Amino acid sequence: MKHLKFLSRTVFVNNNNVEEACRVLNRVLGKEEIFDQYRRTRYYEKPFQVRRRINFEKCKAIYNEDMDRKIQFILRKNRTEPFPGQY
Amino acid sequence: MIISTNFLLNKSHNLLRVLANSISTTSRCLKADDRKQLIASTPRKDQGTEGEKTIEIDQLIQKNKIDIFPDENTPNAIFYDMPFKELPIVNIRVSKNNTILSLTNSKGVIQMIRSCGVEGFKNTRKGTNIAAQATAITFCGKVIDRGIKAARIVVRGLGPGRMSAIKGLQMGGLNIVSITDTTRVSWSGPRPRKQRKL
């Protein structure tokens, strides 16, 4: 589907606050990895560099997932036993 | 943890350097290291992507977040006595070395064009945020002379002029209705040029 020009990637400016609108737009595009892909395609990325990058991203994702789980575990509420391992 | 390992690495490098100076060999290896350190230490160029990696808590708290984005009624919504689809467009083409601004009507017919080079900035000075801002301010004056009060903005590309051109348009007195990004990004495009040797 073709993206319509003034519907996708568009942000309105409220109360003449241009900077905030720009920041919102930039954050959305950064999160969608559009800027990353743009920067990556300025120069050819050799296959070994692609492999390295993707492996790094995989490792980072695994680490982040585990760390999130750990944080959730520490922050959990309504524990049946509030101080496990202590009597 | 990272700091301490870096520190140790630096220490060992310095030790190597002393040795190399006394024996006067392996200077070539150290030269490559120096180059890498120099590149790592130079500040990154501003690409006009402010707010790309930061999260603002004030914005998250705000409830009326949705009216910042367009919906199906947007083309007929009225801004400054004109429907959105009939507002003139200011296109900003940003690249590493230049910034080009052009004014088109709602159908896309170009009416005026101006760039940092035309403004009087030459060579590397073209690709700075100051040049972009100055160009945007003079461009804006000419746009207002035509009787245009409000416009939509379309930005394409990343570069130092990205944010400052928009800021310049605002400073010049043009009412900005919306900001659109049309940076061309492809996930399966043709093979780009080879990497620069640094």
Side-chain angles (χ1 to χ4, degrees):
Chain A
M1 191 185 123
K2 199 190 167 191
H3 295 285
L4 294 168
K5 200 177 181 184
F6 287 101
L7 280 176
S8 62
R9 298 203 210 166
T10 299
V11 165
F12 283 120
V13 178
N14 285 341
N15 308 324
N16 228 357
N17 197 347
V18 174
E19 277 197 36
E20 199 205 310
C22 279
R23 254 182 267 133
V24 170
L25 184 66
N26 285 342
R27 196 175 66 237
V28 171
L29 292 174
K31 267 205 166 173
E32 300 277 318
E33 298 193 349
I34 287 168
F35 284 152
D36 288 339
Q37 180 65 18
Y38 177 81
R39 290 194 191 107
R40 227 176 274 142
T41 48
R42 291 310 90 196
Y43 296 104
Y44 180 66
E45 197 179 20
K46 284 185 180 174
F48 87 92
Q49 287 165 325
V50 176
R51 255 180 278 132
R52 273 185 67 171
R53 178 170 56 77
I54 285 171
N55 283 339
F56 180 78
E57 281 168 6
K58 275 182 193 165
C59 292
K60 207 174 170 186
I62 291 168
Y63 177 86
N64 284 341
E65 197 188 333
D66 276 357
M67 190 50 83
D68 281 347
R69 210 173 284 148
K70 206 170 177 177
I71 289 166
Q72 286 308 318
F73 177 68
I74 288 167
L75 290 177
R76 77 198 188 282
K77 288 169 190 164
N78 296 332
R79 285 173 288 187
T80 47
E81 198 188 343
F83 300 105
Q86 292 182 21
Y87 299 103
Chain B
M1 202 60 187
I2 297 156
I3 298 161
S4 63
T5 48
N6 270 342
F7 179 72
L8 279 175
L9 259 174
N10 277 339
K11 275 262 169 180
S12 63
H13 274 226
N14 284 339
L15 201 72
L16 257 177
R17 197 177 305 261
V18 172
L19 280 173
N21 282 345
S22 56
I23 313 164
S24 77
T25 54
T26 65
S27 63
R28 186 165 289 189
C29 299
L30 288 172
K31 212 173 180 182
D33 274 356
D34 281 346
R35 181 97 190 133
K36 271 181 198 165
Q37 278 185 3
L38 186 76
I39 290 163
S41 66
T42 47
R44 274 201 180 171
K45 265 201 171 177
D46 166 44
Q47 291 195 302
T49 55
E50 189 198 335
E52 185 191 345
K53 300 226 165 104
T54 54
I55 300 164
E56 278 187 29
I57 295 155
D58 293 358
Q59 286 177 358
L60 294 176
I61 295 164
Q62 278 174 9
K63 291 278 192 276
N64 54 354
K65 201 83 216 319
I66 287 149
D67 52 333
I68 213 172
F69 297 112
D71 55 15
E72 73 274 14
N73 302 322
T74 300
N76 294 318
I78 290 185
F79 295 92
Y80 300 96
D81 306 333
M82 225 189 267
F84 183 76
K85 61 183 175 188
E86 284 172 23
L87 280 167
I89 306 162
V90 174
N91 290 290
I92 304 173
R93 174 79 181 88
V94 186
S95 71
K96 207 167 59 179
N97 295 324
N98 206 351
T99 307
I100 302 167
L101 293 111
S102 64
L103 175 75
T104 71
N105 63 7
S106 57
K107 282 170 191 159
V109 182
I110 292 183
Q111 291 170 335
M112 204 192 333
I113 194 160
R114 194 153 181 91
S115 72
C116 290
V118 175
E119 184 71 15
F121 294 94
K122 290 292 168 194
N123 304 332
T124 48
R125 270 171 232 141
K126 277 191 307 185
T128 57
N129 47 6
I130 299 155
Q133 194 161 329
T135 312
I137 287 169
T138 53
F139 179 79
C140 195
K142 290 190 174 185
V143 168
I144 288 167
D145 284 347
R146 285 181 174 239
I148 292 163
K149 287 174 201 157
R152 309 178 261 184
I153 287 188
V154 176
V155 200
R156 174 173 296 176
L158 294 185
R162 192 179 151 99
M163 282 291 275
S164 45
I166 298 171
K167 238 181 257 173
L169 286 176
Q170 193 199 14
M171 279 159 71
L174 191 72
N175 292 312
I176 297 164
V177 173
S178 71
I179 301 168
T180 306
D181 178 274
T182 53
T183 308
R184 293 208 166 142
V185 186
S186 117
W187 268 260
S188 58
R191 179 171 168 151
R193 61 184 296 181
K194 74 168 183 188
Q195 276 187 341
R196 290 174 69 189
K197 277 182 185 167
L198 289 171

